[in-house]
C-alpha cells in the first residue's frame, strides 16, 4: 500500500485481532476523554470567572449544537467506511477519490452549519425555550461557536479518514495540542480580557482551526491513496452516493437520539432543580464511560470495513466477538468503578448532599448495566462496516428512542411508578431489547453475505 508512514497504520485484515483492536481503540479513548475534559474546562472557566448567567448561556447550547452537527458528523462515518473498504481492497485510485470527496463534503457541511448557526441562532434558542435573561449571551456564544464549524468538520472528516487506515494516534496528538491552546486562551480571554462567553467561544474556534490545520497538513504529507492534494478536491458522484448511503442514516440516528433525550430531559425537569442538578452531574460522569465504550464501536466500523474490502468476510464474526468482549470488560470495569466512587465524583459538581443523592440514583440504574449500551453500539458498528446502515438505524430508533417515549407516555404515567427511577429504568430496558434486535439483524446480514459470497465463486 503506497509509501504511507507505516508506524501509524494498522493492518486489520491479517493476523490476530485483539492486540490490533486495542492499539486502535486506546488512542481513540484518550481523544474522547480529553475532548470531554476540554469541554468541562470551558464550563468551569466561564462558571468561576464570568458568573451563573454566562454558565447557563454556554451550558444550554450543548443539546442544540449536538442536534445540528450530528447529521453532518454521520457523513464522516460514511467516509470512514468507504475509505477503509478501498484501503482493504488495496485500491489506491478509489481511496484517493473517497478522500477528496469526503474532505470537500466536510468543508461544504461546515459552511452550511456556519451560515445556519450565525443567521438563526436566536430563533433556534427561542425554540429550545432558553430563558430570556440568558438568551442574548447564549446567542452570542452560539454565533461565535458556529464560525468555527468548517474547521471542526474538516478535523472530524480528516480524522475519520485517518481512522480508516488504522491511524488513531495522530488525531489524538492534534487534539491534545488544540485542547491545551483552548484552555490557555479560555483563561486569557475570560480572566485577563473579561470577554465573558465571547472569550470561551473564540478560544474554541481558534483551537478548532489549529486541529483542522494539523490534520490537513498531515494528510498532505502522506503518500498513496490517503494523501490529500487540495487541487484534486472534487465530489465524485458514485463516492458521494455511497458516503451518503452509510452516513446519512448514522447522522439521522444521532439527531433523533438527541431529540428523544430532550423529551426525557423534560420528564426529569418535572422533579425540580435538585434532581435536575444531580441528573446533569451524573450524566457528565457517564460521558467518560460512554466514550470509552464507543471507541470499540468505532473500531468495529473500521475493522469490518477493511475486511469487507479485502474480501475476508470470514473474519467479521471474530471482529464482532472481540469488540463485544472488550466493550463488556470496559463497560463493567469503568461503570462499576465510577459507581463505587460516585459520591466523591459527584462532590466535584456540587456540595449539596441532596444533589449527590439524586445523582447516585441515576448512576446506580445507568452505570451498573451500562455495558449493554456498548454491546448494542458494537453490533451497529459491525453492521455499518458491512454496508447496512438503514436497518440498524430503524432498529435503534424503534428500540432505543420509540420504546423510551412509549415508556414515558405509559408506565411513567401510572401514579405508583411516577418517580425519577422509572424514567431512568427506561434506558437499560431499551438497550437490552435493541441489542437483541440488532443481533438478529446481524445474523440475517451474515447469512445474506455468505450467500452472495458463494454466488460470486
Amino acid at each position: 500500500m503506497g509509501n504511507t508512514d507505516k508506524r501509524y497504520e494498522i493492518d486489520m485484515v491479517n493476523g490476530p485481532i485483539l492486540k490490533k483492536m486495542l492499539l486502535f481503540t486506546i488512542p481513540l479513548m484518550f481523544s474522547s476523554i480529553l475532548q470531554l475534559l476540554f469541554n468541562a474546562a470551558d464550563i468551569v472557566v466561564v462558571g468561576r470567572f464570568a458568573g451563573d448567567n454566562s454558565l447557563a448561556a454556554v451550558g444550554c447550547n450543548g443539546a442544540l449544537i449536538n442536534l445540528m452537527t450530528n447529521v453532518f458528523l454521520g457523513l464522516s462515518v460514511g467516509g470512514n467506511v468507504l475509505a477503509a473498504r478501498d484501503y482493504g481492497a488495496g485500491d489506491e485510485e478509489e481511496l484517493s477519490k473517497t478522500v477528496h470527496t469526503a474532505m470537500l463534503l466536510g468543508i461544504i457541511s461546515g459552511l452550511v452549519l456556519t451560515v445556519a448557526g450565525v443567521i438563526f441562532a436566536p430563533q433556534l434558542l427561542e425554540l429550545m425555550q432558553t430563558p430570556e435573561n440568558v438568551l442574548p449571551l447564549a446567542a452570542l456564544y452560539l454565533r461565535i461557536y458556529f464560525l468555527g464549524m468548517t474547521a471542526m468538520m474538516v478535523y472530524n472528516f480528516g480524522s475519520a479518514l485517518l481512522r480508516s487506515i488504522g491511524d488513531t494516534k495522530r488525531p489524538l496528538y492534534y487534539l491534545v495540542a488544540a485542547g491545551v491552546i483552548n484552555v490557555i486562551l479560555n483563561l486569557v480571554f475570560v480572566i485577563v480580557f473579561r470577554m465573558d462567553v465571547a472569550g470561551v467561544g473564540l478560544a474554541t474556534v481558534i483551537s478548532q482551526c489549529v486541529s483542522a490545520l494539523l490534520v490537513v497538513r498531515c494528510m498532505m504529507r502522506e503518500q498513496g491513496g490517503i494523501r490529500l492534494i487540495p487541487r484534486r478536491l472534487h465530489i465524485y458522484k458514485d463516492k458521494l452516493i455511497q458516503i451518503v448511503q452509510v452516513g446519512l442514516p448514522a447522522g439521522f440516528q444521532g439527531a433523533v437520539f438527541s431529540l428523544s433525550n430532550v423529551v426525557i430531559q423534560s420528564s426529569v425537569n418535572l422533579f425540580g432543580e435538585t434532581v435536575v442538578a444531580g441528573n446533569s452531574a451524573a450524566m457528565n460522569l457517564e460521558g467518560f464511560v460512554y466514550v470509552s465504550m464507543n471507541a470499540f464501536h468505532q473500531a468495529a466500523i473500521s475493522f469490518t470495513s477493511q475486511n469487507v474490502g479485502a474480501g475476508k468476510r470470514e473474519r467479521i464474526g471474530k471482529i464482532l466477538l472481540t469488540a463485544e468482549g472488550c466493550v463488556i470488560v470496559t463497560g463493567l470495569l469503568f461503570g462499576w468503578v465510577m459507581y463505587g466512587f460516585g459520591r466523591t465524583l459527584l462532590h466535584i459538581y456540587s456540595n449539596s448532599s441532596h444533589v449527590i443523592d439524586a445523582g447516585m440514583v441515576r448512576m446506580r440504574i445507568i452505570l451498573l448495566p451500562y455495558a449493554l449500551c456498548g454491546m448494542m453500539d458494537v453490533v451497529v458498528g459491525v453492521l455499518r462496516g458491512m454496508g447496512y446502515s438503514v436497518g440498524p438505524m430503524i432498529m435503534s430508533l424503534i428500540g432505543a428512542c420509540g420504546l423510551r417515549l412509549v415508556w414515558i407516555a405509559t408506565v411513567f404515567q401510572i401514579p405508583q411508578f411516577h418517580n425519577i427511577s422509572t424514567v431512568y429504568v427506561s434506558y437499560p430496558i431499551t438497550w437490552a431489547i435493541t441489542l437483541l434486535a440488532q443481533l438478529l439483524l446481524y445474523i440475517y446480514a451474515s447469512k445474506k453475505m455468505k450467500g452472495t459470497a458463494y454466488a460470486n465463486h
Side-chain angles (χ1 to χ4, degrees):
M1 288 298 305
N3 307 313
T4 330
D5 192 336
K6 297 288 183 198
R7 285 175 305 160
Y8 296 107
E9 283 179 32
I10 294 174
D11 173 10
M12 304 178 194
V13 299
N14 298 300
I17 294 165
L18 177 62
K19 184 186 170 191
K20 290 176 180 178
M21 193 171 276
L22 291 174
L23 281 171
F24 181 95
T25 48
I26 288 167
L28 251 186
M29 268 186 213
F30 280 124
S31 297
S32 303
I33 289 169
L34 278 169
Q35 196 112 45
L36 287 177
L37 288 171
F38 293 140
N39 290 348
D42 282 8
I43 289 172
V44 170
V45 170
V46 84
R48 287 283 167 92
F49 299 104
D52 291 348
N53 238 6
S54 304
L55 176 63
V58 174
C60 71
N61 274 304
L64 183 58
I65 289 167
N66 286 344
L67 197 58
M68 289 182 70
T69 55
N70 269 335
V71 172
F72 293 99
L73 288 175
L75 293 174
S76 72
V77 175
N80 170 269
V81 168
L82 203 57
R85 205 173 288 173
D86 294 336
Y87 183 80
D91 195 329
E92 298 277 8
E93 188 52 42
E94 290 301 307
L95 176 58
S96 182
K97 285 182 182 176
T98 300
V99 165
H100 290 92
T101 302
M103 289 304 280
L104 186 52
L105 190 58
I107 293 167
I108 294 166
S109 303
L111 292 170
V112 168
L113 281 167
T114 296
V115 171
V118 170
I119 294 173
F120 298 114
Q123 293 88 328
L124 290 164
L125 287 162
E126 278 169 18
L127 277 176
M128 297 275 295
Q129 296 179 323
T130 306
E132 274 187 29
N133 57 332
V134 175
L135 193 66
L137 278 176
L140 174 65
Y141 174 77
L142 195 63
R143 280 182 162 142
I144 294 171
Y145 188 94
F146 270 88
L147 287 174
M149 258 315 145
T150 308
M152 179 184 162
M153 288 293 150
V154 166
Y155 171 77
N156 278 297
F157 275 74
S159 53
L161 291 167
L162 288 171
R163 265 204 311 278
S164 72
I165 62 167
D167 182 4
T168 52
K169 286 181 186 164
R170 283 181 294 187
L172 167 63
Y173 304 153
Y174 306 151
L175 193 71
V176 172
V180 170
I181 290 168
N182 186 17
V183 172
I184 292 168
L185 291 178
N186 268 341
L187 296 168
V188 173
F189 291 158
V190 178
I191 301 171
V192 180
F193 295 124
R194 302 202 176 285
M195 288 171 68
D196 205 316
V197 298
V200 181
L202 193 58
T204 304
V205 171
I206 292 168
S207 67
Q208 282 172 342
C209 290
V210 169
S211 58
L213 286 169
L214 288 169
V215 161
V216 168
R217 176 170 160 266
C218 162
M219 291 181 71
M220 284 171 66
R221 290 179 161 192
E222 281 293 328
Q223 298 298 320
I226 198 72
R227 185 176 182 194
L228 177 67
I229 302 163
R231 69 173 184 276
R232 283 196 60 190
L233 283 172
H234 179 78
I235 298 282
Y236 293 92
K237 190 178 165 189
D238 58 326
K239 294 294 181 187
L240 177 66
I241 291 167
Q242 289 173 288
I243 289 172
V244 169
Q245 278 172 342
V246 175
L248 207 55
F252 182 68
Q253 182 180 323
V256 177
F257 261 93
S258 299
L259 270 177
S260 85
N261 286 336
V262 170
V263 175
I264 289 174
Q265 183 65 46
S266 61
S267 303
V268 173
N269 293 348
L270 297 173
F271 295 95
E273 55 211 42
T274 303
V275 169
V276 171
N279 176 68
S280 301
M283 273 175 72
N284 223 293
L285 289 167
E286 280 158 30
F288 291 97
V289 186
Y290 177 76
V291 297
S292 302
M293 295 193 295
N294 190 257
F296 293 101
H297 160 76
Q298 304 283 355
I301 294 175
S302 292
F303 274 72
T304 306
S305 302
Q306 268 204 28
N307 280 278
V308 168
K312 298 196 172 180
R313 293 166 179 186
E314 70 283 356
R315 286 170 61 88
I316 294 172
K318 290 178 192 164
I319 291 166
L320 176 66
L321 288 173
T322 307
E324 288 289 18
C326 291
V327 91
I328 291 167
V329 171
T330 306
L332 290 176
L333 184 66
F334 289 14
W336 284 64
V337 167
M338 188 161 274
Y339 177 68
F341 289 100
R343 287 192 169 278
T344 312
L345 292 166
L346 288 167
H347 203 72
I348 298 167
Y349 296 84
S350 174
N351 293 322
S352 158
S353 60
H354 297 297
V355 169
I356 291 171
D357 289 342
M360 287 303 288
V361 172
R362 180 179 169 108
M363 288 175 84
R364 183 178 72 251
I365 296 169
I366 303 280
L367 281 179
L368 298 184
Y370 214 7
L372 285 170
C373 176
M375 292 170 73
M376 171 183 84
D377 285 345
V378 162
V379 187
V380 173
V382 170
L383 283 164
R384 284 201 184 129
M386 289 164 78
Y388 289 83
S389 207
V390 176
M393 174 193 79
I394 292 168
M395 297 282 189
S396 295
L397 296 187
I398 294 171
C401 297
L403 285 180
R404 262 174 225 171
L405 300 181
V406 169
W407 179 274
I408 297 292
T410 55
V411 179
F412 178 58
Q413 303 305 326
I414 300 167
Q416 60 265 44
F417 292 128
H418 196 77
N419 57 50
I420 192 66
S421 296
T422 305
V423 177
Y424 297 149
V425 167
S426 68
Y427 283 93
I429 288 173
T430 52
W431 292 332
I433 293 168
T434 311
L435 170 62
L436 282 173
Q438 303 285 18
L439 281 169
L440 290 172
L441 183 59
Y442 166 75
I443 291 165
Y444 164 79
S446 296
K447 284 184 176 163
K448 200 171 170 192
M449 197 174 244
K450 271 186 188 148
T452 55
Y454 290 134
N456 293 338
H457 280 315

